[in-house]
Amino acid sequence: MTIPFTIQLVADNQAHQLDALLDEVTPRIEAFLADVDVTFSPFRDDSQVAAARRGDWSALLSPGPLDRFGRNNSPTAFAEIYALCQQAKDLTDGYFNPMHAGVYDPTGIAKGWAVEQAHRRFLKPLLDAGRCEAAAIGGGGDIQTAVRDDSGFEWNIGVADPFDASKTLHTIAPHTITAHTITARNAGIATSGTTARGEHITRTAHDLAQATVVCDRLTFADMWATTAISAGEQAFQTLVSRNDIARATVMAILVRTDGSIAEIGADSNSFHRH
C-alpha cells in the first residue's frame, strides 16, 4: 500500500516561500504515510493488517505507529478504519466489502483516509496560518484539495483515461471534443478501477472500467468509488439516489467498459465543488 504522493501549494504574493514550505511539510508527510503503510498495507508481513489476516486483531485495542500523532482518547487508527469499513458495508448493502478473496483488505477506505489525514494534519494548518492560498495532496488516484476562504482560487483536475494512462478523459462527438474536468475548492476526489491494480475489488458487476467520485471528504469519496466498481452502474446509482447525504454530496464520472461515460450529480461536463 505504499503511496507515492504529490503536494501542490499555491501562494499569491509569496511564491518564493513555497519551496521552504514544501521542505518543511514533505518529510512529515513521508513519515506519516510510512506509518500508514506499516499499519494498513496488505502487501507487507509486518503490517497490522497482515497480523489481522493471521488472526491477531490486537491492533483494535493496542496503539500502533499512527497513534502517536496525538489521537488522545480516540480509538486506534486501525480500529477507526475497521469501524468505517463495517459502516460502509452496511451503507452500501455489502457492495463495499473489506474482505477480498477471503482476507481483510481495508484499502478501499484506508488509502483515501490516509491522504485526507495527511492534508488535514500537515497542509490545512498552512492555509489556516495564511502561509499559502491553496493546498492539495494526491496519492494512489486520490486527491484532497483545499482553498483559503478569502481566496478565489479553484483547482482544475482532469479525469484520467482508464484506457490510456498518458491521457485525460475526453468525450468525442461529431465536431466536438469535450474534456471531463473537476473544478473544486474544498473536496476529495477518488478514482477506482482495474487499470493500475487489476481485479483487486470483489465485483458483482463488470460494466465499469473506472469510477471517479467527488465528495466533501476524501475518505467517503474513496469508499463510493470502490463501491461503484463493485456494484456496477445501476446498483451504484440506486445506492446514491436513496441516501439523502450521498444524493446531496456525491458526484461521479463513470467510465463503462465500452468507453462510454455516465455522469451522476452533474449538469455539465465540468464538476464544481466548493
Side-chain angles (χ1 to χ4, degrees):
M1 192 184 160
T2 302
I3 305 174
F5 64 94
T6 302
I7 303 168
Q8 292 180 283
L9 302 178
V10 176
D12 187 6
N13 298 315
Q14 307 174 45
H16 62 285
Q17 297 184 13
L18 292 183
D19 287 343
L21 289 179
L22 287 171
D23 289 343
E24 175 185 328
V25 300
T26 299
R28 299 169 66 196
I29 293 175
E30 286 178 338
F32 172 74
L33 293 179
D35 285 341
V36 168
D37 198 50
V38 171
T39 304
F40 295 116
S41 175
F43 307 114
R44 49 187 297 170
D45 292 338
D46 62 343
S47 75
Q48 291 182 319
V49 163
R53 289 178 169 187
R54 294 191 295 268
D56 177 6
W57 291 86
S58 60
L60 289 170
L61 299 175
S62 302
L66 287 171
D67 301 303
R68 60 188 176 86
F69 285 90
R71 295 179 62 85
N72 299 322
N73 295 321
S74 300
T76 66
F78 185 92
E80 179 181 345
I81 292 298
Y82 181 82
L84 283 171
C85 285
Q86 299 311 309
Q87 292 168 7
K89 185 177 181 180
D90 292 342
L91 180 67
T92 64
D93 291 348
Y95 286 112
F96 181 96
N97 191 345
M99 300 298 291
H100 176 64
V103 294
Y104 181 59
D105 184 354
T107 306
I109 277 184
K111 181 162 57 67
W113 176 90
V115 175
E116 180 184 337
Q117 289 292 313
H119 191 287
R120 182 182 67 81
R121 297 177 189 216
F122 306 113
L123 298 185
K124 190 175 184 300
L126 301 181
L127 295 172
D128 294 341
R131 301 178 70 188
C132 65
E133 183 178 353
I137 179 171
D142 295 343
I143 303 169
Q144 182 71 52
T145 69
V147 179
R148 208 170 59 213
D149 290 343
D150 61 353
S151 169
F153 182 83
E154 292 183 327
W155 294 97
N156 291 301
I157 300 164
V159 178
D161 185 334
F163 306 109
D164 187 342
S166 67
K167 297 180 180 179
T168 54
L169 192 64
H170 291 74
T171 299
I172 301 176
H175 312 297
T176 305
I177 299 178
T178 303
H180 292 266
T181 62
I182 296 163
T183 302
R185 285 175 58 84
N186 304 298
I189 302 104
T191 296
S192 185
T194 59
T195 302
R197 292 182 54 199
E199 293 289 346
H200 65 290
I201 297 171
T202 301
R203 301 213 271 175
T204 58
H206 291 76
D207 57 335
L208 295 179
Q210 178 176 283
T212 296
V213 173
V214 187
C215 193
D216 293 330
R217 290 186 53 188
L218 180 55
T219 302
F220 301 136
D222 198 14
M223 180 272 288
W224 281 115
T226 301
T227 299
I229 296 300
S230 171
E233 181 180 349
Q234 183 174 353
F236 175 70
Q237 293 206 43
T238 299
L239 289 169
V240 171
S241 66
R242 79 182 192 198
N243 183 292
D244 291 341
I245 295 176
R247 193 167 60 248
T249 60
V250 170
M251 298 182 288
I253 296 177
L254 308 179
V255 184
R256 304 182 181 102
T257 53
D258 65 3
S260 58
I261 298 168
E263 297 183 359
I264 297 175
D267 56 8
S268 69
N269 290 313
S270 179
F271 287 160
H272 296 270
R273 166 62 71 198
H274 296 278

